[in-house]
Amino acid sequence: MTGLVPSGILPSLLQWGGRYHWIVAIVYRIKEVQRLPSVFITLAAWSLSEVVRYPQYALNALEICPQWLTWLRYTAFILLYPLGALPGEVLLLYKALPYIKEKNLYGCIFEKLPFTYYSVVVVILSLYPFLWFGLYLYMFKQRRYKLDKQFIGRRKSRGKKSD
């Protein structure tokens, strides 16, 4: 979108939109879910991934990124992504459903629509495994591309040294 990060617009928007919805529309608005372990699990997984991702972006932009950091950036997600998504985001959305229904959350926004916010969250939960798996596979594709590129570049530079 802006060229600041090397990923495509759709994965970036899905990630940003999902995180924003989860934090603002669910966690912020429903006090009863704020102390659930799912909140900690999700925020820990997100934070750990960002602690690796943004230094890697910055150092890569300066062309001084160590190879181990690139490897970590494209490997840590293998554990962190499912951890943040399944016992974190999905479980919290599921546990929030009774409160969303009971409080008629966002009822004034949905009052003239043929569906409720509760139904929207049910649909999100139904689609989540498919959307999540697609993004997870995309991350593996990115990992392969970035690490193959790094490995090939390293092999080429070693070949030049031995000549």
Side-chain angles (χ1 to χ4, degrees):
M1 188 151 77
T2 63
L4 294 175
V5 296
S7 56
I9 190 169
L10 184 59
S12 297
L13 286 175
L14 284 172
Q15 183 183 40
W16 178 84
R19 287 183 177 188
Y20 186 82
H21 172 260
W22 190 85
I23 291 170
V24 175
I26 302 293
V27 176
Y28 178 75
R29 290 292 310 268
I30 305 172
K31 304 285 186 219
E32 295 86 349
V33 301
Q34 292 175 358
R35 293 188 187 263
L36 293 176
S38 294
V39 174
F40 173 77
I41 291 167
T42 302
L43 294 177
W46 288 354
S47 298
L48 288 170
S49 68
E50 303 305 343
V51 163
V52 173
R53 187 166 71 160
Y54 286 106
Q56 191 272 337
Y57 284 159
L59 295 175
N60 200 40
L62 297 171
E63 298 180 358
I64 58 171
C65 186
Q67 291 176 343
W68 65 265
L69 186 56
T70 299
W71 178 86
L72 186 59
R73 191 263 183 261
Y74 289 99
T75 303
F77 84 90
I78 294 169
L79 174 65
L80 294 175
Y81 203 55
L83 183 66
L86 304 176
E89 297 171 38
V90 171
L91 186 59
L92 188 92
L93 285 174
Y94 178 75
K95 289 190 174 195
L97 283 174
Y99 302 109
I100 293 168
K101 193 171 197 173
E102 172 187 317
K103 296 174 183 218
N104 191 23
L105 200 61
Y106 306 110
C108 61
I109 296 170
F110 286 85
E111 69 187 348
K112 295 187 183 197
L113 298 172
F115 51 88
T116 64
Y117 179 65
Y118 176 86
S119 351
V120 169
V121 174
V122 168
V123 169
I124 289 171
L125 277 170
S126 303
L127 294 175
Y128 207 102
F130 304 104
L131 295 173
W132 177 85
F133 192 65
L135 287 172
Y136 196 53
L137 291 178
Y138 172 79
M139 289 295 296
F140 273 101
K141 182 179 173 186
Q142 287 292 103
R143 179 180 192 270
R144 182 176 193 163
Y145 172 76
K146 295 292 183 177
L147 296 183
D148 282 354
K149 182 175 157 184
Q150 180 181 15
F151 178 72
I152 290 168
R154 188 171 61 204
R155 278 185 36 200
K156 283 182 182 177
S157 66
R158 282 186 185 164
K160 289 179 184 176
K161 289 179 185 176
S162 63
D163 291 342

